[in-house]
Amino acid sequence: YMIPKIETRFIVRGTYKGGVIYNTDDDEKEYFTVVDLSLIKNWDNGLSLGGHIYNLFDETYYEGKGMACDGFNFKVVVQYDF
């Protein structure tokens, strides 16, 4: 008996930003690292199933002045291509 090969895409994405000042009232600099994971399985019949995890370590950070980013969140994906 052979175990069938599972063809999937596994993606790890990391973002690091450092030394950015978001508040001009005080000169505190922010440093943060955000890690995202994705796992997608594609079948030959056009069906895809997968999921994404964003901000795996629930890092609190700001993309811009006063623009807070989401904490840990996830998305489940089901897609069919004709």
Side-chain angles (χ1 to χ4, degrees):
Y1 177 76
M2 281 186 65
I3 298 174
K5 183 179 177 183
I6 299 174
E7 295 184 22
T8 59
R9 290 181 290 159
F10 180 68
I11 301 165
V12 177
R13 183 181 68 170
T15 303
Y16 172 79
K17 288 190 179 180
V20 181
I21 299 174
Y22 291 113
N23 186 351
T24 56
D25 295 336
D26 62 8
D27 292 336
E28 183 178 338
K29 295 182 180 181
E30 286 198 12
Y31 300 86
F32 59 87
T33 302
V34 179
V35 177
D36 302 328
L37 301 176
S38 299
L39 182 63
I40 307 291
K41 167 67 176 131
N42 298 317
W43 281 274
D44 292 335
N45 63 2
L47 181 67
S48 298
L49 178 66
H52 305 280
I53 298 174
Y54 301 104
N55 199 355
L56 180 65
F57 301 115
D58 199 20
E59 183 73 30
T60 301
Y61 65 98
Y62 294 88
E63 277 290 335
K65 187 174 181 181
M67 297 174 53
C69 290
D70 296 331
F72 173 84
N73 61 84
F74 65 94
K75 175 171 55 173
V76 176
V77 178
V78 177
Q79 179 178 330
Y80 185 78
D81 294 325
F82 295 96

